[in-house]
Amino acid sequence: MTTTFITGANKSLGYETARRLIEAGHTVLLGARDPERGRAAADALGARFVQIDVTDDASVAAAAADIAAREGGIDVLINNAGVFGPHIPAEQLTAADASAVFEVNVVGIVRVTHAFLPLLRKSEHPVIVNVSSGMGSFALTHDTGRIEGRNLAPLYTASKAAVTMLTTQYAKSWPDVKVNAADPGYTATDFNGHSGPQTVTEGTDAIVALATIGADGPTGTFSDRHGELAW
């Protein structure tokens, strides 16, 4: 049985990913910052709640220690927690805004991955899925025929470009771990006021596919529900 830990899983894409993986037979550890919301989501799905704030070293260490004591290890880590940042013109963005976005979207992945890598290496086929975005693709954001090329979000896009690069570097660094990045696509979530044309189920297709790869699966890739994407 596969044990999967998901950050930011109390709602939206994280919650739907948890639901689908439980349905597929995974044991899911549902990570969330807010204990009340996280526990309610876990109870509704039949998952185990693990409190985690990806911006806090002590919280991440405590989550890893809790899982080490209870489950012993994990097979799949899904770094899903993320923030969009302020919806304001580019000229109004501050260094504090940038720090807040990168602290969750990029540094949070490094913090969690560092703490959970020993738990992953207890698995025969360890897998990491980083939830990135087509908004972080240089190719897609320069294609005005796509939504990614028409939307402006300097901090979010820059952070997701960093997530994708981090994914490729981790994949090269750890041949024993499958590390891939998923683009959910323009999905109806809290991020966009539920304006995206995709359902959360469609938005989790790539995440679920990468979370369920076998020992011969890809590593160092970036894909959405339709296949691999240009960087």
Side-chain angles (χ1 to χ4, degrees):
M1 184 176 290
T2 301
T3 300
T4 299
F5 179 64
I6 310 171
T7 65
N10 63 289
K11 63 177 183 177
S12 299
L13 294 171
Y15 184 90
E16 178 65 5
T17 298
R19 185 195 68 78
R20 293 181 65 180
L21 289 176
I22 290 169
E23 191 176 76
H26 287 223
T27 295
V28 170
L29 308 176
L30 188 151
R33 182 177 56 181
D34 185 287
E36 185 175 343
R37 294 176 182 175
R39 193 166 287 111
D43 289 347
L45 292 174
R48 184 169 87 80
F49 169 62
V50 178
Q51 196 278 332
I52 186 168
D53 179 348
V54 302
T55 68
D56 183 81
D57 287 338
S59 175
V60 172
D66 175 59
I67 292 170
R70 292 279 296 272
E71 283 78 24
I74 61 172
D75 302 288
V76 181
L77 168 63
I78 302 178
N79 286 308
N80 169 73
V83 295
F84 192 81
H87 294 268
I88 57 178
E91 61 268 22
Q92 295 178 19
L93 294 171
T94 65
D97 294 329
S99 294
V101 171
F102 274 74
E103 182 64 28
V104 176
N105 293 1
V106 184
V107 181
I109 288 180
V110 175
R111 182 177 286 113
V112 173
T113 302
H114 173 76
F116 279 75
L117 192 58
L119 296 175
L120 278 164
R121 286 199 160 124
K122 295 180 182 296
S123 173
E124 291 185 9
H125 307 297
V127 170
I128 297 173
V129 181
N130 293 326
V131 179
S132 188
S133 171
M135 292 283 286
S137 162
F138 286 84
L140 300 188
T141 54
H142 283 81
D143 181 351
T144 57
R146 292 184 60 110
I147 188 69
E148 295 90 347
R150 300 191 298 273
N151 280 355
L152 292 174
L155 299 182
Y156 181 75
T157 56
S159 72
K160 289 303 186 179
V163 169
T164 307
M165 178 59 77
L166 188 62
T167 299
T168 67
Q169 293 297 302
Y170 277 164
K172 290 179 180 180
S173 300
W174 306 323
D176 60 320
V177 184
K178 304 292 186 185
V179 190
N180 295 285
D183 169 28
Y186 192 19
T187 302
T189 67
D190 291 350
F191 265 28
N192 51 50
H194 296 270
S195 63
Q198 289 187 162
T199 66
V200 286
T201 301
E202 292 170 326
T204 56
D205 280 349
I207 303 170
V208 171
L210 291 171
T212 54
I213 58 175
D216 58 348
T219 192
T221 66
F222 176 41
S223 61
D224 67 3
R225 63 194 298 258
H226 303 294
E228 287 199 38
L229 291 170
W231 303 101

